[in-house]
Amino acid sequence: MTQAPAITRRTDRRHDREIIALALPAFGSLVAEPLFVMADSAVIGHLGTPQLAGLGIAAALLTTAVSVFVFLAYATTAAVARRVGAGDLPAAIRQGMDGIWLALLIGAAVIATVLPTAPWLVEAFGASSTAAPYATTYLRISALGIPAMLVVLAATGVLRGLQDTRTPLYVAIGGFSVNAALNIGLVYGAGLGIAGSAWGTVIAQCGMAAVYLAVVVRGARRHGASLRPDAAGIRASAQAGVPLLVRTLSLRAVLMIATAVAARLGDAEVAAHQIVLTLWSLLAFALDAIAIAGQAIIGRYLGAGDRDGAKAACRRMVQWGIAAGLVLGVLVALARPLFIPLFTSDPAVEGPLLATLLVVAVTQPVSGIVFILDGVLMGAGDGPYLAWAMVVTLVLFAPAALAVPAFGGGLVALWGAMALMMAVRLLTLWLRTRSGRWIVTGASR
């Protein structure tokens, strides 16, 4: 009677060690990525307000262009992890190379689109006449680094699938350090202004991509995996990524609708909304780190044909998600009076901000489960369901959010709609996980 609980505890401890070993470095690399823009902002901010405004517009466009293709990391992680679980490392690395080749092709297409349309994109974003030239300069130069950033996404997926999240952390820290040094040297030392900041970022991004490629190529040679582009493999990687692209675009649409509605509520409300969204994104990094561990672990178990192991890992990670959500929620609730003065001293902003942060705090346990189950299904290669579920979520969220101004609601009501969005995601993901249909074993789904 006592043997089963003892076995369960040993299994949980093993999963805990795996989750911690993968999640902590993943969290570090996730947090390091936004530091690129922060370093650029800190350097360019001393050049003048038009330059900083131009950076803000260009950075928003570049971030969108790269984040839309985050499926290069997610789909590659799941595919590589499956083959690792099946014990076929050459095929795992070959799968990763297909993702990297796909990243290069997409990057080339993005450059071909952005370079000639940069002035129009900046104008469409509402740039002022003084900020637009700086935004266009930064956007055109930084676009040259997009292929490198997409390679970084795909190669990160390869290493995560190989159960290695430490190397991405080291590369991210190194890339941030080089970027900061180059920015200072090129902007002030060489007197290149905002163009120097853009070139510094491009050089750092290319350096990161080169390090990743060196690691992957070394692994390919060690295991006898081909490095040449394979049309069928690249096409398969693209097909696996399409559902995750739909999911990502739907999620981005949710965030854009929320910001548009906040803007209609008034200046104070949209200012408070941006602060809440910044904190919400930071909290998401912590939860996403556990989800990334889930992608790698679940993919490996399914590749090895271990259904029970995948179920046990899923159960334990959900427990981690709930615990992390509770801790983060309590921290947000308690730290609200300390957090708000860091961003604003305007009483008109403080009022809605204080109440809205409480909504964010209460919903963190739900967010914890959502992020984990999202990662589990990604690791299982269940992209089509994730795409369908996110589209349904968007369809239900949009009218609820758009109704907020019509019925005289404020920022709390808008974030109530955001809480509804997370609840819908929880329901759809829980139903899928409970059904067991995501459990498809084998080296490929």
Side-chain angles (χ1 to χ4, degrees):
M1 295 294 291
T2 60
Q3 188 175 7
I7 293 173
T8 300
R9 285 194 297 271
R10 286 197 298 271
T11 301
D12 286 345
R13 284 195 295 269
R14 186 178 74 251
H15 288 315
D16 291 344
R17 288 192 295 269
E18 283 188 320
I19 293 168
I20 292 171
L22 291 171
L24 284 181
F27 175 70
S29 61
L30 287 171
V31 171
E33 290 171 8
L35 294 179
F36 269 89
V37 176
M38 290 180 62
D40 289 1
S41 300
V43 173
I44 292 176
H46 294 285
L47 295 177
T49 300
Q51 289 90 332
L52 186 59
L55 170 66
I57 293 167
L61 289 166
L62 289 164
T63 300
T64 300
V66 173
S67 63
V68 161
F69 300 111
V70 73
F71 71 82
L72 288 166
Y74 293 159
T76 305
T77 297
V80 172
R82 275 185 174 271
R83 284 158 177 79
V84 169
D88 192 349
L89 285 178
I93 297 174
R94 175 66 260 177
Q95 181 76 40
M97 285 304 305
D98 292 334
I100 290 173
W101 281 112
L102 176 62
L104 287 170
L105 291 174
I106 293 174
V110 173
I111 285 182
T113 302
V114 171
L115 288 182
T117 61
W120 178 84
L121 291 171
V122 169
E123 182 181 352
F125 216 78
S128 66
S129 58
T130 54
Y134 297 110
T136 302
T137 296
Y138 190 93
L139 180 59
R140 276 183 164 155
I141 296 173
S142 293
L144 300 176
I146 287 178
M149 286 307 296
L150 297 185
V151 167
V152 167
L153 285 177
T156 299
V158 176
L159 295 181
R160 288 173 180 171
L162 294 171
Q163 318 295 297
D164 176 11
T165 56
R166 289 182 179 274
T167 300
L169 172 61
Y170 300 148
V171 175
I173 293 173
F176 166 72
S177 302
V178 171
N179 179 58
L182 286 172
N183 265 261
I184 294 172
L186 294 175
V187 171
Y188 298 117
L192 296 179
I194 195 169
S197 176
W199 280 117
T201 300
V202 170
I203 293 170
Q205 291 167 344
C206 290
M208 292 171 65
V211 172
Y212 273 118
L213 287 174
V215 172
V216 175
V217 168
R218 187 170 64 244
R221 288 175 175 169
R222 184 186 307 125
H223 296 287
S226 173
L227 297 173
R228 289 177 298 182
D230 176 68
I234 294 172
R235 186 165 54 251
S237 294
Q239 289 172 346
V242 168
L244 295 181
L245 176 62
V246 173
R247 168 201 168 274
T248 301
L249 290 173
S250 299
L251 182 56
R252 297 288 300 184
V254 165
L255 299 179
M256 289 175 64
I257 290 171
T259 300
V261 170
R264 293 173 61 186
L265 297 178
D267 289 346
E269 284 75 9
V270 75
H273 173 75
Q274 285 302 115
I275 296 172
V276 175
L277 197 58
T278 299
L279 177 62
W280 190 76
S281 299
L282 180 62
L283 297 172
F285 282 140
L287 298 175
D288 203 27
I290 306 175
I292 287 170
Q295 292 173 30
I297 293 171
I298 293 297
R300 193 189 73 231
Y301 274 115
L302 293 178
D306 189 351
R307 297 172 60 90
D308 292 337
K311 289 180 180 179
C314 175
R315 175 186 59 80
R316 190 57 175 171
M317 280 182 286
V318 168
Q319 292 172 351
W320 269 76
I322 295 172
L326 287 170
V327 170
L328 292 174
V330 171
L331 288 175
V332 171
L334 296 178
R336 284 182 303 152
L338 302 175
F339 175 78
I340 293 174
L342 296 176
F343 289 88
T344 182
S345 58
D346 186 347
V349 177
E350 290 179 351
L353 185 55
L354 191 66
T356 305
L357 286 176
L358 188 58
V359 176
V360 173
V362 171
T363 56
Q364 281 308 293
V366 173
S367 297
I369 302 173
V370 166
F371 274 79
I372 298 308
L373 294 182
D374 205 39
V376 166
L377 296 184
M378 281 186 190
D382 205 9
Y385 182 84
L386 289 172
W388 173 86
M390 198 63 227
V391 169
V392 169
T393 301
L394 172 61
V395 169
L396 294 176
F397 167 78
L402 295 173
V404 170
F407 287 93
L411 192 63
V412 172
L414 174 59
W415 275 85
M418 290 287 285
L420 171 65
M421 180 269 294
M422 294 302 292
V424 173
R425 292 188 69 190
L426 174 61
L427 178 62
T428 57
L429 295 173
W430 176 77
L431 289 173
R432 183 64 167 183
T433 307
R434 187 171 179 269
S435 73
R437 294 177 184 174
W438 58 278
I439 304 177
V440 179
T441 59
S444 61
R445 186 178 174 87

